[in-house]
């Protein structure tokens, strides 16, 4: 299992992760700090005077090694995502990256080659008709994107942001990321943040299809679809990654109320997360908020 370390100044959060982790808890400030620190690092944001003065320096490590942002593909999936804005195809547009990779696939090679032949033919005709002629640049996917006005077609109709449900907006982004990850081999690190109120079965199934990624899923409600307690990180007064057995034993088992074996502590946690047992929840929450 890999170790993802999120550092903001003196604060450090270590997360054991292979593919995805679910970040849950009522300490919204802590969750916000983790999320924003990753985004700040991924975006290579210039530090403000305040950040420098108060040592709010962001860092992101994988297995104790700094992640090279030039070799990193990061994206923030959320329900405020605007298809209309993303269709403007800015440098950070998810749709732009998806279309660029799509146009590079073999299925479009002959068509793009034909476009370039037609441009050359037009250039030749101009040179015959006029002393002033020109030469068209060879078209590549990035240049073709500038000529493209994207539309999202579902069935027989185009859709925009306001036609999509919460789940459809998240699924739209995840489907694009799935294609990009499968066919874009320029990134060594694919790190995605998913910020959603709840994790539906459909979204969860799609997340599990994303390969060679590290995904942090920030939720407001405990999901019913994930029954592996090692996939959970709790943000309360204390930060706890359940997969970290040493920290788990220290916070949950070695407590001042009821000394537990590791297996017993995990049973309490399982009853809370999976079976929604109220007594187990009260006990766990008491320990995490001491």
């Amino acid at each position: 299992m890999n170790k993802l370390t999120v550092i903001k100044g003196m604060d450090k959060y270590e997360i054991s992760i292979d593919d995805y982790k679910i970040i849950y808890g009522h300490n919204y400030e802590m969750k916000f700090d983790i999320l924003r620190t990753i985004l700040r690092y991924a975006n290579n944001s210039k530090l403000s005077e305040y950040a420098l003065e108060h040592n709010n320096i962001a860092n992101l490590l994988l297995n104790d090694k700094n992640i090279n942002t030039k070799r990193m593909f990061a994206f923030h999936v959320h329900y405020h995502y605007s298809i209309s804005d993303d269709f403007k195809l800015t440098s950070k547009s998810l749709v732009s990256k998806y279309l660029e990779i799509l146009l590079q696939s073999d299925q479009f090679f002959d068509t793009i080659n034909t476009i370039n032949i037609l441009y050359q033919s037009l250039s030749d005709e101009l040179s015959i008709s006029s002393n002033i002629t020109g030469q068209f640049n060879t078209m590549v996917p990035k240049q073709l994107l500038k000529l493209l006005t994207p539309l999202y077609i579902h069935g027989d109709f185009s859709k925009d942001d306001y036609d999509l449900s919460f789940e459809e907006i998240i699924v739209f982004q995840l489907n694009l990321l799935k294609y990009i990850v499968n066919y874009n081999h320029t990134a060594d690190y694919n790190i995605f943040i998913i910020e959603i109120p709840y994790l539906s079965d459909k979204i969860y199934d799609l997340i599990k299809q994303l390969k060679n990624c590290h995904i942090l899923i920030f939720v407001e409600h405990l999901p019913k679809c994930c029954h592996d307690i090692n996939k959970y990180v709790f943000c309360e007064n204390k930060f706890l990654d359940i997969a970290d057995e040493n920290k788990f034993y220290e916070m949950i088992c070695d407590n001042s109320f009821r000394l537990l074996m590791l297996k017993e502590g995990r049973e309490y946690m399982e009853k809370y997360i999976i079976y929604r047992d109220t007594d187990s929840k009260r006990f766990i929450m008491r320990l995490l908020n001491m």
Side-chain angles (χ1 to χ4, degrees):
M1 189 172 285
N2 295 303
K3 181 176 71 172
L4 184 69
T5 306
V6 182
I7 300 173
K8 179 190 175 187
M10 300 301 293
D11 297 324
K12 181 166 74 172
Y13 307 95
E14 294 183 345
I15 301 170
S16 299
I17 184 170
D18 277 335
D19 37 27
Y20 66 89
K21 291 291 269 210
I22 297 169
I23 316 295
Y24 170 78
H26 300 87
N27 191 333
Y28 299 108
E29 191 67 35
M30 182 187 292
K31 289 162 67 177
F32 183 76
D33 262 358
I34 295 170
L35 188 153
R36 296 287 284 184
T37 300
I38 295 172
L39 291 179
R40 182 175 221 167
Y41 185 84
N43 292 329
N44 246 337
S45 300
K46 184 180 178 181
L47 292 175
S48 65
E49 292 179 356
Y50 181 89
L52 290 169
E53 181 66 25
H54 292 81
N55 194 31
N56 286 344
I57 299 172
N59 205 354
L60 194 62
L61 295 85
L62 187 64
N63 299 327
D64 298 322
K65 294 182 180 179
N66 284 88
I67 293 176
N68 185 346
T69 54
K70 293 180 180 179
R71 304 292 298 171
M72 173 184 180
F73 173 46
F75 192 77
H76 181 199
V77 175
H78 54 88
Y79 57 92
H80 295 300
Y81 169 85
S82 169
I83 290 178
S84 303
D85 288 344
D86 211 15
F87 276 180
K88 294 174 183 176
L89 304 182
T90 61
S91 59
K92 293 186 178 181
S93 164
L94 180 63
V95 172
S96 177
K97 191 168 187 66
Y98 164 77
L99 288 174
E100 183 182 345
I101 294 170
L102 180 63
L103 288 170
Q104 288 173 350
S105 63
D106 292 341
Q107 70 186 96
F108 297 108
F109 178 81
D110 289 340
T111 303
I112 294 175
N113 193 43
T114 300
I115 291 172
N116 284 317
I117 291 171
L118 289 172
Y119 273 129
Q120 183 59 49
S121 177
L122 179 56
S123 178
D124 293 343
E125 289 183 29
L126 277 172
S127 64
I128 294 170
S129 303
S130 171
N131 290 330
I132 299 176
T133 185
Q135 185 174 10
F136 293 98
N137 294 325
T138 300
M139 298 303 290
V140 295
K142 277 191 176 181
Q143 290 172 312
L144 286 171
L145 282 178
K146 296 176 182 179
L147 306 176
L148 188 65
T149 301
L151 290 172
Y152 176 48
I153 304 295
H154 190 270
D156 296 327
F157 303 97
S158 63
K159 282 188 171 184
D160 64 16
D161 312 41
Y162 302 102
D163 298 319
L164 301 181
S165 67
F166 152 79
E167 187 175 66
E168 287 173 327
I169 286 176
I170 302 300
V171 166
F172 177 86
Q173 296 169 80
L174 291 177
N175 276 325
L176 297 187
L177 288 174
K178 180 182 174 183
Y179 185 89
I180 291 169
V181 168
N182 286 343
Y183 294 98
N184 176 35
H185 305 296
T186 61
D188 293 331
Y189 312 96
N190 296 299
I191 297 179
F192 305 138
I193 293 172
I194 302 176
E195 188 181 6
I196 47 179
Y198 66 92
L199 184 61
S200 70
D201 290 342
K202 186 173 183 178
I203 294 171
Y204 182 55
D205 288 341
L206 192 48
I207 288 171
K208 289 189 292 183
Q209 294 175 35
L210 291 168
K211 305 302 180 184
N212 303 314
C213 304
H214 294 106
I215 307 167
L216 299 181
I217 312 164
F218 290 79
V219 296
E220 295 178 18
H221 304 281
L222 274 175
K224 296 179 181 179
C225 48
C226 180
H227 292 169
D228 182 356
I229 65 172
N230 287 318
K231 295 294 187 183
Y232 288 85
V233 171
F234 276 82
C235 294
E236 302 294 348
N237 280 354
K238 296 176 181 176
F239 174 86
L240 174 63
D241 181 350
I242 297 175
D244 186 334
E245 288 192 353
N246 291 330
K247 288 287 178 63
F248 184 86
Y249 185 86
E250 178 187 326
M251 291 185 191
I252 304 300
C253 301
D254 189 16
N255 65 79
S256 56
F257 306 107
R258 191 184 312 161
L259 187 63
L260 303 171
M261 299 293 288
L262 183 62
K263 182 180 178 182
E264 291 176 306
R266 290 180 65 81
E267 286 173 353
Y268 269 101
M269 187 64 75
E270 189 174 88
K271 287 179 182 178
Y272 168 29
I273 293 174
I274 299 172
Y275 300 109
R276 304 297 196 268
D277 181 76
T278 305
D279 290 337
S280 298
K281 176 181 178 178
R282 279 198 291 262
F283 180 65
I284 295 297
M285 292 300 290
R286 187 178 184 183
L287 299 177
L288 290 177
N289 285 299
M290 288 178 62

